[in-house]
Amino acid sequence: MKYTKRDRQQLLLETLEKNPFITDEQLASTFNVSVQTIRLDRMELSIPELRERIKSVAAHNFGEEVKSLPLNEVIGEIIDIDLDKQAISILDITQDHVFARNGIARGHHLFAQANSLAVAVINDELALTRKSTITFVKPVKAGDRVIAKAVVLSSDTEKNSTLIEVTSKVENDTVFIGQFSMYRVTKS
Amino acid sequence: MKYTKRDRQQLLLETLEKNPFITDEQLASTFNVSVQTIRLDRMELSIPELRERIKSVAAHNFGEEVKSLPLNEVIGEIIDIDLDKQAISILDITQDHVFARNGIARGHHLFAQANSLAVAVINDELALTRKSTITFVKPVKAGDRVIAKAVVLSSDTEKNSTLIEVTSKVENDTVFIGQFSMYRVTKS
DNA sequence: CACCATTTTAGCACTTGGTACTAATATCAG
DNA sequence: CTGATATTAGTACCAAGTGCTAAAATGGTG
Protein backbone atom coordinates (compact mmCIF):
# COMPACT_ATOMS: atom_id res chain seq x y z
CA MET A 1 0.00 0.00 0.00
CA LYS A 2 1.17 3.52 -0.68
CA TYR A 3 1.89 5.94 2.09
CA THR A 4 -0.42 8.71 3.05
CA LYS A 5 0.48 12.14 1.84
CA ARG A 6 1.75 13.16 5.25
CA ASP A 7 3.92 10.09 5.71
CA ARG A 8 5.30 10.30 2.23
CA GLN A 9 6.27 13.91 2.68
CA GLN A 10 7.94 13.13 5.97
CA LEU A 11 9.90 10.33 4.36
CA LEU A 12 10.72 12.57 1.46
CA LEU A 13 12.35 15.04 3.79
CA GLU A 14 14.38 12.34 5.48
CA THR A 15 15.38 10.76 2.20
CA LEU A 16 16.65 14.02 0.78
CA GLU A 17 18.39 14.82 4.01
CA LYS A 18 20.40 11.66 3.64
CA ASN A 19 20.90 11.94 -0.09
CA PRO A 20 20.24 15.22 -1.84
CA PHE A 21 21.57 13.85 -5.13
CA ILE A 22 18.38 12.23 -6.28
CA THR A 23 16.02 13.17 -9.09
CA ASP A 24 12.25 13.49 -8.93
CA GLU A 25 12.00 10.49 -11.20
CA GLN A 26 13.97 8.31 -8.81
CA LEU A 27 11.96 9.60 -5.90
CA ALA A 28 8.74 8.88 -7.76
CA SER A 29 9.71 5.28 -8.32
CA THR A 30 10.88 4.69 -4.75
CA PHE A 31 7.60 6.05 -3.40
CA ASN A 32 5.49 4.46 -6.12
CA VAL A 33 3.87 7.69 -7.13
CA SER A 34 4.08 9.83 -10.21
CA VAL A 35 6.73 12.43 -10.80
CA GLN A 36 4.07 15.13 -10.57
CA THR A 37 3.17 14.07 -7.07
CA ILE A 38 6.78 14.40 -6.03
CA ARG A 39 6.88 17.84 -7.55
CA LEU A 40 3.77 18.85 -5.66
CA ASP A 41 5.29 17.50 -2.48
CA ARG A 42 8.47 19.46 -3.02
CA MET A 43 6.43 22.60 -3.59
CA GLU A 44 4.46 22.15 -0.44
CA LEU A 45 7.58 21.47 1.56
CA SER A 46 9.45 24.14 -0.38
CA ILE A 47 12.26 21.78 -1.26
CA PRO A 48 14.29 23.08 -4.18
CA GLU A 49 15.01 21.06 -7.28
CA LEU A 50 17.94 18.68 -7.61
CA ARG A 51 20.28 21.18 -9.20
CA GLU A 52 19.65 23.75 -6.55
CA ARG A 53 20.10 21.18 -3.83
CA ILE A 54 23.44 20.12 -5.25
CA LYS A 55 24.46 23.71 -5.70
CA SER A 56 23.70 24.50 -2.09
CA VAL A 57 25.67 21.49 -0.86
CA ALA A 58 28.57 22.57 -3.02
CA ALA A 59 28.37 26.23 -2.09
CA HIS A 60 28.08 25.34 1.54
CA ASN A 61 31.24 23.34 1.57
CA PHE A 62 33.18 25.43 -0.87
CA GLY A 63 35.90 27.49 0.68
CA GLU A 64 35.34 25.61 3.87
CA GLU A 65 37.83 22.93 3.09
CA VAL A 66 39.84 24.22 5.99
CA LYS A 67 36.88 23.68 8.27
CA SER A 68 37.69 20.06 8.72
CA LEU A 69 41.15 19.06 9.72
CA PRO A 70 42.80 17.68 6.60
CA LEU A 71 44.04 14.54 8.22
CA ASN A 72 46.75 13.73 5.80
CA GLU A 73 48.13 17.14 5.18
CA VAL A 74 50.10 19.62 7.10
CA ILE A 75 47.89 21.40 9.58
CA GLY A 76 48.20 25.11 8.99
CA GLU A 77 49.66 26.80 5.98
CA ILE A 78 53.39 26.70 5.53
CA ILE A 79 54.58 30.13 4.50
CA ASP A 80 58.30 29.65 4.73
CA ILE A 81 60.50 26.62 4.84
CA ASP A 82 64.23 26.08 4.90
CA LEU A 83 64.66 22.34 4.97
CA ASP A 84 66.54 20.91 7.93
CA LYS A 85 66.81 24.37 9.43
CA GLN A 86 63.49 26.04 10.11
CA ALA A 87 59.91 26.49 8.92
CA ILE A 88 56.95 28.73 9.64
CA SER A 89 53.26 28.00 9.36
CA ILE A 90 50.06 29.89 10.02
CA LEU A 91 46.86 28.50 11.46
CA ASP A 92 43.75 30.61 11.76
CA ILE A 93 41.67 29.53 14.71
CA THR A 94 37.98 29.36 13.94
CA GLN A 95 34.91 28.47 15.96
CA ASP A 96 35.55 24.90 14.89
CA HIS A 97 38.76 24.69 16.82
CA VAL A 98 37.55 25.91 20.17
CA PHE A 99 35.54 24.77 23.14
CA ALA A 100 32.05 26.09 22.58
CA ARG A 101 31.81 27.11 26.19
CA ASN A 102 34.66 29.52 26.46
CA GLY A 103 36.11 29.96 22.98
CA ILE A 104 39.52 28.55 23.94
CA ALA A 105 41.26 26.45 21.34
CA ARG A 106 41.59 22.76 22.03
CA GLY A 107 45.15 21.72 22.68
CA HIS A 108 45.42 19.12 20.00
CA HIS A 109 45.04 21.67 17.25
CA LEU A 110 48.05 23.59 18.40
CA PHE A 111 49.88 20.32 18.84
CA ALA A 112 48.86 19.19 15.36
CA GLN A 113 50.12 22.39 13.79
CA ALA A 114 53.42 22.19 15.63
CA ASN A 115 53.88 18.48 15.10
CA SER A 116 53.12 18.54 11.39
CA LEU A 117 55.44 21.50 10.97
CA ALA A 118 58.16 19.55 12.74
CA VAL A 119 57.58 16.69 10.33
CA ALA A 120 57.61 19.02 7.34
CA VAL A 121 60.87 20.73 8.18
CA ILE A 122 62.72 17.45 8.11
CA ASN A 123 64.14 16.91 4.70
CA ASP A 124 63.67 13.19 4.62
CA GLU A 125 61.62 10.39 3.27
CA LEU A 126 59.95 10.03 6.55
CA ALA A 127 59.91 11.53 9.99
CA LEU A 128 58.20 10.16 13.05
CA THR A 129 57.70 11.83 16.36
CA ARG A 130 59.49 9.91 19.06
CA LYS A 131 58.99 12.07 22.08
CA SER A 132 57.81 15.53 22.85
CA THR A 133 57.33 17.95 25.67
CA ILE A 134 54.86 20.70 25.18
CA THR A 135 53.64 23.65 27.12
CA PHE A 136 50.49 25.60 26.54
CA VAL A 137 51.63 28.99 27.68
CA LYS A 138 48.54 31.03 27.03
CA PRO A 139 45.01 30.23 25.85
CA VAL A 140 44.30 30.78 22.19
CA LYS A 141 40.89 32.10 21.14
CA ALA A 142 38.78 31.89 18.04
CA GLY A 143 39.89 34.51 15.56
CA ASP A 144 43.52 34.29 16.60
CA ARG A 145 46.13 33.68 13.98
CA VAL A 146 48.72 31.29 15.30
CA ILE A 147 52.17 31.54 13.78
CA ALA A 148 54.30 28.52 14.50
CA LYS A 149 58.02 28.53 13.97
CA ALA A 150 59.96 25.31 13.96
CA VAL A 151 63.72 25.42 14.47
CA VAL A 152 65.98 22.41 14.12
CA LEU A 153 68.16 22.43 17.22
CA SER A 154 70.38 19.46 16.58
CA SER A 155 70.67 16.45 14.40
CA ASP A 156 72.29 13.21 15.45
CA THR A 157 72.94 11.29 12.28
CA GLU A 158 74.09 8.25 14.23
CA LYS A 159 70.84 7.87 16.07
CA ASN A 160 68.69 9.08 13.18
CA SER A 161 67.42 11.59 15.62
CA THR A 162 66.61 15.26 15.25
CA LEU A 163 65.59 17.72 17.92
CA ILE A 164 63.18 20.46 16.93
CA GLU A 165 61.69 23.27 18.90
CA VAL A 166 58.44 24.80 17.82
CA THR A 167 57.27 28.11 19.21
CA SER A 168 53.78 29.32 18.38
CA LYS A 169 52.78 32.93 18.77
CA VAL A 170 49.71 35.06 18.48
CA GLU A 171 50.60 38.66 17.80
CA ASN A 172 54.06 38.20 19.24
CA ASP A 173 52.76 36.55 22.38
CA THR A 174 54.06 33.05 22.84
CA VAL A 175 51.13 30.69 23.31
CA PHE A 176 52.74 27.32 22.82
CA ILE A 177 56.18 25.77 23.09
CA GLY A 178 57.03 22.25 22.06
CA GLN A 179 60.20 20.20 21.86
CA PHE A 180 60.00 17.35 19.43
CA SER A 181 62.42 14.51 19.22
CA MET A 182 62.01 13.12 15.75
CA TYR A 183 63.08 9.85 14.26
CA ARG A 184 64.16 10.11 10.67
CA VAL A 185 64.63 7.64 7.92
CA THR A 186 67.34 8.86 5.62
CA LYS A 187 66.64 9.16 1.96
CA SER A 188 67.76 6.22 -0.06
CA MET B 1 43.16 43.06 -27.27
CA LYS B 2 42.05 39.51 -26.73
CA TYR B 3 44.30 36.89 -25.23
CA THR B 4 46.01 34.22 -27.26
CA LYS B 5 44.46 30.80 -27.13
CA ARG B 6 47.13 29.51 -24.82
CA ASP B 7 46.86 32.39 -22.40
CA ARG B 8 43.10 32.28 -22.38
CA GLN B 9 43.07 28.58 -21.63
CA GLN B 10 45.54 29.08 -18.82
CA LEU B 11 43.40 31.82 -17.36
CA LEU B 12 40.34 29.68 -17.83
CA LEU B 13 41.85 26.97 -15.68
CA GLU B 14 42.75 29.42 -12.95
CA THR B 15 39.37 31.10 -13.08
CA LEU B 16 37.50 27.85 -12.70
CA GLU B 17 39.87 26.74 -9.99
CA LYS B 18 38.88 29.77 -7.98
CA ASN B 19 35.24 29.68 -8.88
CA PRO B 20 33.74 26.55 -10.42
CA PHE B 21 30.24 28.01 -10.27
CA ILE B 22 30.37 29.92 -13.49
CA THR B 23 28.58 29.32 -16.79
CA ASP B 24 30.09 29.24 -20.24
CA GLU B 25 28.16 32.37 -21.06
CA GLN B 26 29.72 34.29 -18.19
CA LEU B 27 33.14 32.96 -19.12
CA ALA B 28 32.59 34.00 -22.72
CA SER B 29 31.82 37.55 -21.73
CA THR B 30 34.71 37.85 -19.29
CA PHE B 31 37.13 36.66 -21.97
CA ASN B 32 35.40 38.53 -24.78
CA VAL B 33 34.98 35.47 -26.90
CA SER B 34 32.00 33.50 -28.03
CA VAL B 35 30.40 30.78 -26.01
CA GLN B 36 31.52 28.25 -28.59
CA THR B 37 35.14 29.18 -28.08
CA ILE B 38 34.76 28.56 -24.38
CA ARG B 39 33.21 25.20 -25.11
CA LEU B 40 36.10 24.29 -27.40
CA ASP B 41 38.53 25.36 -24.71
CA ARG B 42 36.81 23.24 -22.12
CA MET B 43 36.92 20.27 -24.44
CA GLU B 44 40.61 20.68 -25.11
CA LEU B 45 41.32 21.03 -21.42
CA SER B 46 38.76 18.35 -20.60
CA ILE B 47 36.97 20.53 -18.13
CA PRO B 48 33.47 19.27 -17.42
CA GLU B 49 30.39 21.41 -17.69
CA LEU B 50 29.08 23.60 -14.91
CA ARG B 51 26.67 21.06 -13.49
CA GLU B 52 29.29 18.37 -13.35
CA ARG B 53 31.73 20.73 -11.71
CA ILE B 54 29.21 21.67 -9.07
CA LYS B 55 28.27 18.08 -8.57
CA SER B 56 31.85 17.05 -8.01
CA VAL B 57 32.40 19.83 -5.50
CA ALA B 58 29.25 18.74 -3.70
CA ALA B 59 30.01 15.04 -3.85
CA HIS B 60 33.52 15.66 -2.72
CA ASN B 61 32.45 17.36 0.43
CA PHE B 62 29.40 15.27 1.11
CA GLY B 63 29.75 12.30 3.39
CA GLU B 64 33.23 13.40 4.31
CA GLU B 65 32.04 15.04 7.43
CA VAL B 66 32.79 11.90 9.39
CA LYS B 67 35.95 11.14 7.52
CA SER B 68 37.58 14.24 8.85
CA LEU B 69 38.41 14.65 12.48
CA PRO B 70 35.36 15.95 14.33
CA LEU B 71 37.08 18.99 15.66
CA ASN B 72 34.81 19.76 18.53
CA GLU B 73 34.24 16.35 19.93
CA VAL B 74 36.21 13.88 21.85
CA ILE B 75 38.52 12.04 19.50
CA GLY B 76 37.89 8.35 19.87
CA GLU B 77 34.94 6.72 21.52
CA ILE B 78 34.74 6.78 25.28
CA ILE B 79 33.74 3.35 26.51
CA ASP B 80 34.23 3.79 30.21
CA ILE B 81 34.54 6.77 32.44
CA ASP B 82 34.88 7.28 36.15
CA LEU B 83 35.04 11.02 36.62
CA ASP B 84 38.15 12.37 38.29
CA LYS B 85 39.58 8.87 38.43
CA GLN B 86 40.01 7.24 35.04
CA ALA B 87 38.58 6.85 31.56
CA ILE B 88 39.05 4.64 28.53
CA SER B 89 38.53 5.40 24.86
CA ILE B 90 38.93 3.54 21.61
CA LEU B 91 40.18 4.92 18.33
CA ASP B 92 40.21 2.86 15.17
CA ILE B 93 43.03 3.91 12.91
CA THR B 94 42.02 4.16 9.27
CA GLN B 95 43.83 5.07 6.10
CA ASP B 96 42.88 8.65 6.83
CA HIS B 97 45.04 8.76 9.92
CA VAL B 98 48.25 7.50 8.46
CA PHE B 99 51.11 8.61 6.27
CA ALA B 100 50.30 7.37 2.80
CA ARG B 101 53.87 6.29 2.31
CA ASN B 102 54.27 3.83 5.11
CA GLY B 103 50.91 3.45 6.80
CA ILE B 104 52.12 4.76 10.15
CA ALA B 105 49.68 6.89 12.09
CA ARG B 106 50.45 10.55 12.41
CA GLY B 107 51.34 11.56 15.92
CA HIS B 108 48.72 14.19 16.38
CA HIS B 109 45.91 11.68 16.17
CA LEU B 110 47.25 9.70 19.09
CA PHE B 111 47.85 12.94 20.91
CA ALA B 112 44.34 14.14 20.13
CA GLN B 113 42.82 10.93 21.48
CA ALA B 114 44.87 11.09 24.66
CA ASN B 115 44.43 14.79 25.18
CA SER B 116 40.70 14.80 24.68
CA LEU B 117 40.39 11.83 26.99
CA ALA B 118 42.36 13.72 29.62
CA VAL B 119 39.97 16.62 29.22
CA ALA B 120 36.96 14.35 29.44
CA VAL B 121 38.00 12.59 32.62
CA ILE B 122 38.10 15.84 34.52
CA ASN B 123 34.82 16.42 36.18
CA ASP B 124 34.76 20.15 35.74
CA GLU B 125 33.31 23.02 33.83
CA LEU B 126 36.48 23.32 31.96
CA ALA B 127 39.87 21.76 31.65
CA LEU B 128 42.82 23.09 29.74
CA THR B 129 46.05 21.37 28.99
CA ARG B 130 48.90 23.23 30.59
CA LYS B 131 51.84 21.04 29.90
CA SER B 132 52.48 17.58 28.60
CA THR B 133 55.20 15.12 27.90
CA ILE B 134 54.50 12.41 25.44
CA THR B 135 56.32 9.45 24.07
CA PHE B 136 55.50 7.54 20.94
CA VAL B 137 56.65 4.12 21.97
CA LYS B 138 55.77 2.14 18.90
CA PRO B 139 54.37 2.99 15.47
CA VAL B 140 50.66 2.49 15.01
CA LYS B 141 49.36 1.25 11.67
CA ALA B 142 46.13 1.54 9.76
CA GLY B 143 43.68 -1.04 11.02
CA ASP B 144 44.97 -0.90 14.57
CA ARG B 145 42.53 -0.28 17.39
CA VAL B 146 44.08 2.05 19.90
CA ILE B 147 42.80 1.80 23.44
CA ALA B 148 43.72 4.78 25.55
CA LYS B 149 43.44 4.74 29.30
CA ALA B 150 43.62 7.94 31.28
CA VAL B 151 44.37 7.78 34.99
CA VAL B 152 44.23 10.77 37.31
CA LEU B 153 47.45 10.67 39.27
CA SER B 154 47.03 13.60 41.56
CA SER B 155 44.92 16.64 42.04
CA ASP B 156 46.11 19.83 43.63
CA THR B 157 43.02 21.81 44.51
CA GLU B 158 45.06 24.81 45.55
CA LYS B 159 46.72 25.19 42.22
CA ASN B 160 43.67 24.06 40.22
CA SER B 161 46.00 21.52 38.77
CA THR B 162 45.52 17.88 37.92
CA LEU B 163 48.05 15.39 36.70
CA ILE B 164 46.87 12.71 34.33
CA GLU B 165 48.69 9.87 32.68
CA VAL B 166 47.38 8.40 29.49
CA THR B 167 48.62 5.08 28.20
CA SER B 168 47.54 3.92 24.75
CA LYS B 169 47.79 0.31 23.70
CA VAL B 170 47.26 -1.79 20.62
CA GLU B 171 46.58 -5.38 21.53
CA ASN B 172 48.27 -4.98 24.92
CA ASP B 173 51.34 -3.36 23.42
CA THR B 174 51.93 0.11 24.71
CA VAL B 175 52.24 2.50 21.77
CA PHE B 176 51.93 5.86 23.43
CA ILE B 177 52.45 7.38 26.87
CA GLY B 178 51.55 10.89 27.82
CA GLN B 179 51.58 12.91 31.02
CA PHE B 180 49.19 15.80 31.03
CA SER B 181 49.20 18.60 33.49
CA MET B 182 45.72 20.05 33.33
CA TYR B 183 44.39 23.34 34.53
CA ARG B 184 40.87 23.13 35.86
CA VAL B 185 38.20 25.66 36.57
CA THR B 186 36.09 24.40 39.41
CA LYS B 187 32.40 24.15 38.95
CA SER B 188 30.51 27.12 40.26
C1' DC C 1 -25.49 5.92 -2.79
C1' DA C 2 -24.36 10.52 -4.34
C1' DC C 3 -21.57 14.55 -3.92
C1' DC C 4 -17.78 17.43 -3.05
C1' DA C 5 -13.05 17.99 -1.67
C1' DT C 6 -8.67 16.29 -1.65
C1' DT C 7 -5.14 13.89 -3.92
C1' DT C 8 -2.92 12.09 -7.73
C1' DT C 9 -1.86 11.86 -12.67
C1' DA C 10 -1.22 13.47 -17.26
C1' DG C 11 0.17 16.52 -20.78
C1' DC C 12 2.11 20.48 -22.91
C1' DA C 13 4.94 24.61 -23.44
C1' DC C 14 9.02 26.65 -21.82
C1' DT C 15 13.81 27.24 -19.27
C1' DT C 16 18.96 26.43 -18.30
C1' DG C 17 23.08 25.02 -19.42
C1' DG C 18 24.69 22.35 -21.61
C1' DT C 19 26.43 18.22 -25.85
C1' DA C 20 27.28 16.94 -30.68
C1' DC C 21 27.80 18.19 -34.95
C1' DT C 22 28.22 20.99 -39.30
C1' DA C 23 29.49 24.90 -41.65
C1' DA C 24 30.90 29.41 -42.36
C1' DT C 25 34.31 33.09 -41.28
C1' DA C 26 38.51 35.26 -39.34
C1' DT C 27 43.26 35.49 -38.62
C1' DC C 28 47.89 34.73 -39.32
C1' DA C 29 52.22 32.76 -41.07
C1' DG C 30 55.09 31.59 -44.80
C1' DC D 1 47.79 34.10 -52.02
C1' DT D 2 47.07 29.88 -49.83
C1' DG D 3 46.65 26.66 -46.01
C1' DA D 4 46.28 25.90 -41.40
C1' DT D 5 44.57 27.32 -37.13
C1' DA D 6 41.19 29.66 -34.50
C1' DT D 7 36.78 31.53 -33.89
C1' DT D 8 31.95 32.04 -34.51
C1' DA D 9 27.23 30.64 -35.86
C1' DG D 10 23.51 27.67 -36.08
C1' DT D 11 20.86 23.52 -35.55
C1' DA D 12 19.05 19.47 -33.18
C1' DC D 13 18.90 17.27 -28.91
C1' DC D 14 19.14 16.19 -23.64
C1' DA D 15 18.29 16.36 -18.48
C1' DA D 16 15.80 17.99 -14.98
C1' DG D 17 13.35 20.76 -14.08
C1' DT D 18 8.98 25.04 -13.67
C1' DG D 19 4.28 26.57 -14.57
C1' DC D 20 0.00 25.75 -15.93
C1' DT D 21 -4.41 23.30 -17.13
C1' DA D 22 -7.21 19.51 -16.88
C1' DA D 23 -8.69 14.98 -16.12
C1' DA D 24 -9.11 11.02 -13.14
C1' DA D 25 -8.89 8.57 -8.74
C1' DT D 26 -9.85 8.40 -3.88
C1' DG D 27 -12.07 9.45 0.38
C1' DG D 28 -15.01 10.77 3.66
C1' DT D 29 -19.83 12.58 4.93
C1' DG D 30 -24.54 13.39 4.90
Side-chain angles (χ1 to χ4, degrees):
Chain A
M1 205 308 210
K2 296 183 181 183
Y3 298 100
T4 70
K5 191 181 179 181
R6 196 161 290 278
D7 287 354
R8 173 167 31 83
Q9 295 195 342
Q10 184 54 42
L11 269 168
L12 190 67
L13 280 170
E14 289 166 22
T15 306
L16 289 178
E17 181 87 19
K18 274 182 231 146
N19 175 20
F21 304 78
I22 182 169
T23 65
D24 288 358
E25 208 154 7
Q26 293 174 287
L27 289 166
S29 84
T30 58
F31 288 113
N32 281 314
V33 292
S34 71
V35 175
Q36 281 78 359
T37 302
I38 296 293
R39 312 251 222 244
L40 279 174
D41 286 348
R42 277 203 295 102
M43 307 244 157
E44 287 179 24
L45 301 169
S46 39
I47 297 170
E49 62 168 290
L50 171 67
R51 283 148 179 161
E52 294 306 313
R53 292 196 301 270
I54 293 181
K55 211 185 291 179
S56 89
V57 171
H60 210 76
N61 300 13
F62 193 72
E64 292 199 15
E65 286 159 59
V66 193
K67 190 178 163 189
S68 302
L69 194 58
L71 301 185
N72 282 302
E73 303 291 329
V74 172
I75 281 85
E77 193 191 350
I78 293 183
I79 53 166
D80 180 50
I81 188 159
D82 189 355
L83 286 172
D84 274 327
K85 295 209 181 83
Q86 53 105 282
I88 295 173
S89 83
I90 289 183
L91 179 66
D92 285 314
I93 303 298
T94 69
Q95 286 301 329
D96 300 320
H97 299 98
V98 304
F99 289 97
R101 219 173 310 202
N102 57 358
I104 295 177
R106 288 181 164 257
H108 62 260
H109 293 114
L110 296 179
F111 177 83
Q113 179 190 17
N115 187 50
S116 61
L117 190 63
V119 170
V121 76
I122 290 185
N123 183 21
D124 250 322
E125 276 287 295
L126 172 69
L128 291 178
T129 311
R130 186 182 260 164
K131 211 170 157 153
S132 92
T133 304
I134 62 195
T135 310
F136 296 91
V137 181
K138 232 185 120 181
V140 174
K141 306 260 185 161
D144 285 352
R145 163 163 294 187
V146 181
I147 298 177
K149 180 168 183 176
V151 179
V152 176
L153 297 182
S154 69
S155 212
D156 186 333
T157 338
E158 301 281 303
K159 286 187 188 159
N160 284 330
S161 177
T162 300
L163 203 65
I164 294 168
E165 178 160 283
V166 180
T167 311
S168 299
K169 297 187 178 193
V170 172
E171 285 174 4
N172 261 346
D173 267 11
T174 300
V175 294
F176 171 99
I177 299 171
Q179 274 100 33
F180 296 86
S181 167
M182 311 294 289
Y183 175 81
R184 57 195 300 168
V185 179
T186 315
K187 269 183 190 149
S188 53
Chain B
M1 207 308 210
K2 296 182 181 183
Y3 299 99
T4 70
K5 191 181 180 182
R6 196 162 291 279
D7 287 353
R8 173 168 30 84
Q9 294 193 344
Q10 184 53 43
L11 269 167
L12 191 68
L13 280 170
E14 289 168 20
T15 306
L16 289 178
E17 181 87 18
K18 275 183 229 147
N19 175 20
F21 306 78
I22 183 168
T23 65
D24 286 359
E25 206 155 6
Q26 294 174 284
L27 289 167
S29 83
T30 58
F31 289 113
N32 282 311
V33 292
S34 71
V35 176
Q36 280 78 359
T37 303
I38 295 294
R39 311 251 222 245
L40 279 175
D41 286 348
R42 277 202 296 101
M43 305 246 156
E44 287 179 23
L45 301 168
S46 38
I47 297 171
E49 62 166 290
L50 172 67
R51 283 151 183 157
E52 294 307 314
R53 292 196 302 269
I54 292 181
K55 212 185 288 178
S56 90
V57 170
H60 211 77
N61 301 12
F62 194 75
E64 286 200 14
E65 285 160 57
V66 192
K67 196 176 161 189
S68 301
L69 193 61
L71 301 184
N72 281 300
E73 304 292 331
V74 171
I75 280 85
E77 195 190 347
I78 293 183
I79 53 167
D80 180 49
I81 188 161
D82 189 354
L83 286 172
D84 274 328
K85 296 207 181 82
Q86 54 104 281
I88 294 173
S89 83
I90 288 183
L91 179 66
D92 285 313
I93 303 299
T94 69
Q95 285 302 328
D96 299 322
H97 300 99
V98 304
F99 289 97
R101 220 173 310 203
N102 56 359
I104 295 178
R106 289 181 163 255
H108 61 260
H109 293 115
L110 296 178
F111 177 84
Q113 180 190 17
N115 187 51
S116 61
L117 189 63
V119 170
V121 75
I122 290 185
N123 182 20
D124 250 321
E125 275 286 295
L126 172 68
L128 291 179
T129 311
R130 190 181 259 163
K131 211 169 152 133
S132 93
T133 304
I134 63 197
T135 310
F136 296 91
V137 181
K138 231 186 121 183
V140 173
K141 306 262 185 164
D144 286 351
R145 164 163 294 189
V146 181
I147 298 176
K149 179 167 183 177
V151 179
V152 176
L153 297 182
S154 71
S155 212
D156 186 332
T157 339
E158 299 281 305
K159 285 187 190 161
N160 285 327
S161 177
T162 300
L163 204 64
I164 294 167
E165 178 159 283
V166 180
T167 311
S168 298
K169 297 185 179 195
V170 172
E171 284 173 5
N172 262 345
D173 265 12
T174 299
V175 294
F176 171 99
I177 299 172
Q179 275 100 35
F180 296 86
S181 167
M182 310 294 288
Y183 174 83
R184 57 196 298 170
V185 180
T186 316
K187 268 184 189 149
S188 51

